Amino acid sequence: MKKILVIEDEKHLAEGLRLNLSLNNYQVEIASDGIKGLKVWRSFKPDLIILDLMLPEMDGFKVLEEIRLFDDRVPILILSAKSAVEDKIRCLKKGVDDYMSKPFNLDEFLLRIERVLQRSDWSSEANELSNEIPSKIEFGKCWVDFEQRSALNAEGNIIDLTVQELKLIKVLYQNKGKALSRKFLLENAFGYSIDANSRTIDNFIVRLRKYFETEPKSPQHFKSKRAVGYQFDS
Ligand code: CA
């Protein structure tokens, strides 16, 4: 039985979804705001998430960003009254699998869920050798804890990292030992390539070196690769 998490604050809609999804043999949990949504996501480990954008406590964009920081694969379907193209684009850039505007047709909704789940089955089969990384990684004297969003820097101090910094470290770590272009890093860490230039990555790397390198001028972990970009070595 596939598990679906519905993060939706409109009570009637949420209950209606619960009923219809249960009738279609899905196991359903509902969360009525963004913070609760993240909490249930962690404990329930759903196969698919249905996410509203306008939510109390934490909006859907933030929830989406948080989930994608730790899980690139769980399918997320946005169900929103916002139908502006910019909102759709923003969601797709952040790794959404499908987007439906309210009001919606129930049959279409169920079909889309089925399709998204099917696709995710295929891709997880294709992804047997997953490049999931542990929630805490170590290199040199430093460590980064993705769940706590904290790190131990080169001076032995605990520091807080931003979501963007964490994402970039994650992509570098997943591809450690490989020279990566700025374009690759932009697309894979931030999900965009047009509205940011490659200087963005350079600035991030400068910051990461300041945090994690004993001698930022001769980095041991966040290395420059001439004519390519950067390479992470643990
Ligand atoms: Ca709402």
Side-chain angles (χ1 to χ4, degrees), residues 5 24 42 57 80 123 126 138 141-142 154 190 194 197 207:
L5 166 61
N24 282 275
R42 290 197 185 95
E57 303 301 328
S80 176
S123 73
E138 288 176 40
K141 289 179 193 152
C142 306
F190 308 134
I194 315 149
N197 60 41
R207 237 147 68 198

Side-chain angles (χ1 to χ4, degrees), residues 137 146 161 165-173 208 212:
I137 59 166
F146 291 97
L161 295 172
E165 288 165 350
L166 287 164
K167 282 192 171 175
L168 183 57
I169 295 170
K170 192 176 168 195
V171 171
L172 284 162
Y173 187 87
L208 295 181
F212 298 114

Side-chain angles (χ1 to χ4, degrees), residues 7-10 13 32 52-56 79-81 102:
I7 308 177
E8 169 65 70
D9 61 321
E10 283 165 54
L13 178 56
S32 57
D52 183 19
L53 289 181
M54 287 185 281
L55 287 167
L79 191 56
S80 176
K102 296 174 190 170

